[in-house]
Amino acid sequence: MTPLIDRTVAAVRSAISGAISAAGWSLDEGSIVVETPRDPSHGDLATTAALVLAKEVGKNPREIAETLQARIGESPPAADVAPLSSMEIAGPGFLNFRFAGSWLEGGLVETLEQGGEYGQNDRLAGRSILFEFISANPTGPLNVVSARAAAIGDTLAALWQAAGARAGREYYINDAGRQVRLLGESLEARVLQLQGEEAVVPEQGYHGDYLVEMAEQFLSGEVPAWWGGSDREKRTEELSRWATDQVVAVQKEIVEIFGLHFDTWFRESSLHESGAVEETLEDLRSRGHIYESEGAVWFRSSDFGDEKDRVLVTGDGRPTYLLPDVAYHRDKYARGWETLIDLWGPDHHGYIARMSAALEALGHDREAFDVMIVQQVNLLRGGEIVKMSKRAGRLIEMEELLEEVGRDATRFFFLMRGTSTHLDFDLDLAVSANEENPVYYVQYAHARISSVLEHARSEGLDPDAELAGADLTRLIEAEERGLMRLLVDYPGLVADAAETFEPHRIPAHLRQLSAAFHHFYHNHRVVGSEPAVQAARLALCAGVRQVLANGLALLGVEAPDRM
RNA sequence: GCGCCUGUAGCUCAGAUGGAUAGAGCAGUGGGUUUCUAACCCACCGGCCGCAGGUUCGAGUCCUGCCAGGCGCGCCA
């Protein structure tokens, strides 16, 4: 469904467009800005059209605004979606629009009617988009950057779904590279050590304690026959596979604890087994983007904007990381996804150009693939940065973070910030000071409203019946109109957040809505006010509660009735 | 050297396709509801939007250069 705010803006824009033509001027509809003024006293919507037209027309913007105002007055926007009550010219030449009360009230009615679906919209209907995120190497526990990516990827997918798109969540398991072998060798050393033999973890291997635990686990179960066999090579290979499966299983567990569900866990090894890697190479070759030099197979990525060409198959015949990764993305398209979005860590940004190049070389639009870099996270404890290093074995894991901070606060905290900002996560603050964390502020507003509705019930009122018969024109206070406006804006905001890949707009809006509610609550009684007003206010409360719940659901955060 | 990200209040960050007096939380100071949850509300304090140019009627936002911090630049993954 098209959100009320979108329908309203469209109607106003088209009225402005008509007025411009009627006046004998021209401005393409796309550059007619219709926006919500920051200051509510400037009206419900405003346009800068007169300011933009000033130069071309060669007149004072205020004069132009006057003409537009007159023309719009002659043929106003559709009254059902934009019931204009007044227009005024302000400042250097803004034209401000004000709507009749029925407009805001309509928004509240939509909220209550649509309930849990309010916010869903059709802005991105027909699009199909696959989000791939976390995709950590299956060699160790998930770290905090993974947690950040998890929160962002999950919510982005939810936002796109809410905006009408088909959106998927996918996790890529790099279970075929050299790092898997190293993991096996590292674990092998740990197991041997436990058995009292001399063994060293390879220098390039994984030194974390988790492998000691895994070694204990390996020995505590039924030890497979291949472990005692004479085939050393087989032993390492089997153990590598066993270890990878273990790590992936643990990663799956953590992700589930985080409340995140992937549609697909995709194994790199499946690409090698199915021949997709070879096929991809042949595909590129047949398109003329491959050459051989110094014994290696190269991809002419510099033809597609990369700074230099890249090796796909090394001199000794092994594919580099790039080739299976290209095969993987090729496979995503083959499975019917139109747009691919990857969330990568900051250390991979140098890799973007070659991947885009490869996908373009395979005939896909440049716009059909994009990478969001999820910037690093500094964990602070006692004001000091806690270092994370997979290799060194001292690491802050996603699991630890969830235990310490909790799922709701972790998700909210990560989603509050822009994705591309480096961020400091103060553990002491997040853990100790409840009131410091804005997630409680929003949850508290939700709980408070629940409590109000509960109180109404205890007073013998039936909120549902009250809502149905409520006369919303009784909502006349500034706080009430402000809340209603935030409800009206919500669906458009969901669409914007999806379209711009900026999930942090949702928490920002929820905080604003919560603040507006707390303010309202402080100044006005709900239960116990004049019956007609009481009914209307109960409806408003229910609407605000609904939007808070819907917004928190997009973030994967609980909306408690009691705190 | 090249590339990416960041630079806004003491701290952590918003600032919506460039718009009207640059916002919030925390910290600090001082207040508030005998009534539906004080995890709340209100006021005050606090700004050369890193620096310098440019585009524009208008720039925190766009362009150029510089400064500072972070990260990345393998026939590694």
Side-chain angles (χ1 to χ4, degrees):
Chain A
M1 50 212 102
T2 306
L4 174 62
I5 186 73
D6 281 10
R7 303 197 309 266
T8 308
V9 166
V12 168
R13 178 176 285 129
S14 115
I16 296 168
S17 176
I20 292 172
S21 312
W25 302 320
S26 78
L27 186 64
D28 67 286
E29 207 159 311
S31 41
I32 298 174
V33 175
V34 177
E35 60 190 4
T36 303
R38 280 204 179 83
D39 184 346
S41 73
H42 291 143
D44 295 314
L45 286 176
T47 182
T48 58
L51 293 160
V52 178
L53 281 165
K55 189 167 192 180
E56 191 190 324
V57 173
K59 279 190 182 172
N60 177 318
R62 290 190 70 107
E63 261 179 66
I64 296 172
E66 275 170 35
T67 306
L68 292 180
Q69 183 179 13
R71 296 292 188 180
I72 293 169
E74 288 162 17
S75 65
D80 55 335
V81 290
L84 211 51
S85 69
S86 71
M87 284 179 277
E88 69 184 24
I89 295 158
F94 292 96
L95 183 55
N96 298 336
F97 301 90
R98 232 172 277 276
F99 303 121
S102 58
W103 182 67
L104 279 182
E105 288 144 22
L108 177 51
V109 169
E110 279 195 10
T111 307
L112 295 173
E113 279 176 355
Q114 294 175 21
E117 290 179 5
Y118 187 64
Q120 292 184 15
N121 60 83
D122 59 1
R123 192 91 68 84
L124 299 168
R127 299 280 303 273
S128 120
I129 188 166
L130 181 62
F131 292 93
E132 181 215 322
F133 51 103
I134 304 186
S135 299
N137 278 336
T139 52
L142 297 174
N143 61 26
V144 293
V145 178
S146 295
R148 186 178 189 184
I152 292 169
D154 193 22
T155 293
L156 276 174
L159 285 167
W160 274 73
Q161 283 167 346
R166 183 168 76 94
R169 299 168 176 84
E170 188 155 303
Y171 190 115
Y172 182 56
I173 304 167
N174 297 118
D175 63 343
R178 183 180 284 172
Q179 78 282 1
V180 168
R181 170 84 187 188
L182 272 171
L183 177 72
E185 288 171 1
S186 304
L187 180 61
E188 193 171 23
R190 293 301 193 189
V191 174
L192 290 172
Q193 284 170 2
L194 286 177
Q195 291 182 330
E197 292 182 44
E198 289 267 323
V200 233
V201 175
E203 203 178 324
Q204 297 290 307
Y206 302 93
H207 298 258
D209 291 341
Y210 62 93
L211 283 187
V212 178
E213 287 167 30
M214 199 186 289
E216 285 165 359
Q217 200 186 327
F218 177 73
L219 290 174
S220 72
E222 192 177 324
V223 179
W226 47 258
W227 175 258
S230 56
D231 189 341
R232 284 295 176 85
E233 179 53 33
K234 182 178 169 65
R235 182 173 85 179
T236 308
E237 208 171 282
E238 290 290 344
L239 193 60
S240 296
R241 185 165 319 167
W242 185 87
T244 307
D245 288 346
Q246 291 296 306
V247 172
V248 170
V250 170
Q251 289 179 346
K252 277 188 180 173
E253 247 172 68
I254 303 305
V255 159
E256 290 289 333
I257 291 173
F258 198 62
L260 165 59
H261 181 74
F262 282 100
D263 302 301
T264 320
W265 290 75
F266 195 99
R267 286 181 174 267
E268 179 187 351
S269 54
S270 72
L271 293 165
H272 296 274
E273 287 157 13
S274 70
V277 175
E278 278 302 310
E279 270 174 38
T280 302
L281 186 60
E282 289 319 308
D283 194 351
L284 282 169
R285 196 191 305 275
S286 70
R287 289 167 189 268
H289 306 305
I290 295 296
Y291 65 93
E292 302 201 6
S293 170
E294 302 162 53
V297 179
W298 294 74
F299 164 45
R300 212 182 302 276
S301 57
S302 57
D303 282 357
F304 299 92
D306 196 6
E307 56 187 11
K308 59 180 182 186
D309 294 343
R310 305 293 172 176
V311 171
L312 292 179
V313 181
T314 65
D316 55 9
R318 291 177 298 111
T320 60
Y321 180 74
L322 181 60
L323 182 55
D325 216 2
V326 172
Y328 171 47
H329 286 77
R330 183 172 172 271
D331 184 80
K332 291 182 187 175
Y333 285 122
R335 279 183 279 142
W337 296 104
E338 288 163 7
T339 304
L340 309 182
I341 302 294
D342 290 3
L343 274 66
W344 293 353
D347 51 336
H348 285 68
H349 87 253
Y351 199 76
I352 299 173
R354 69 195 76 168
M355 180 59 71
S356 310
L359 298 179
E360 206 178 339
L362 287 171
H364 300 286
D365 283 349
R366 190 149 276 249
E367 292 74 38
F369 170 68
D370 206 1
V371 175
M372 293 178 67
I373 293 296
V374 178
Q375 280 294 344
Q376 70 181 87
V377 177
N378 287 324
L379 282 177
L380 301 177
R381 204 193 290 280
E384 300 274 314
I385 291 181
V386 187
K387 289 280 179 203
M388 315 161 268
S389 162
K390 269 193 176 175
R391 297 294 161 98
R394 283 176 300 128
L395 43 92
I396 298 295
E397 302 170 10
M398 180 167 167
E399 186 176 11
E400 248 178 283
L401 189 66
L402 284 175
E403 277 168 14
E404 269 196 63
V405 181
R407 185 177 100 182
D408 288 349
T410 301
R411 290 185 85 126
F412 200 90
F413 199 97
F414 282 135
L415 289 164
M416 265 165 47
R417 264 69 174 201
T419 307
S420 63
T421 59
H422 305 243
L423 100 80
D424 290 337
F425 195 123
D426 192 325
L427 283 168
D428 301 324
L429 228 50
V431 177
S432 64
N434 285 357
E435 56 217 15
E436 165 81 8
N437 202 313
V439 68
Y440 297 107
Y441 185 78
V442 174
Q443 289 182 319
Y444 184 62
H446 184 272
R448 218 177 196 185
I449 298 173
S450 299
S451 175
V452 170
L453 296 177
E454 184 54 41
H455 181 73
R457 264 176 230 115
S458 75
E459 294 290 309
L461 297 164
D462 176 356
D464 290 336
E466 294 288 321
L467 267 43
D471 174 10
L472 301 181
T473 63
R474 300 303 298 267
L475 298 171
I476 53 169
E477 301 290 345
E479 292 91 338
E480 294 163 344
R481 311 307 287 183
L483 281 170
M484 290 160 89
R485 179 54 200 254
L486 290 169
L487 300 189
V488 167
D489 284 338
Y490 176 72
L493 180 88
V494 170
D496 286 345
E499 228 169 351
T500 58
F501 299 97
E502 290 179 347
H504 72 270
R505 291 204 201 170
I506 301 296
H509 191 258
L510 297 181
R511 291 169 76 181
Q512 209 182 332
L513 181 58
S514 301
F517 179 77
H518 287 311
H519 184 71
F520 159 77
Y521 177 88
H522 188 260
N523 290 332
H524 303 286
R525 291 280 312 171
V526 177
V527 178
S529 52
E530 183 198 334
V533 173
Q534 171 178 277
R537 285 184 179 164
L538 282 172
L540 178 59
C541 283
V544 172
R545 181 170 176 274
Q546 187 70 62
V547 168
L548 289 175
N550 293 359
L552 287 172
L554 286 172
L555 307 180
V557 173
E558 291 288 321
D561 287 325
R562 225 172 274 277
M563 283 177 76

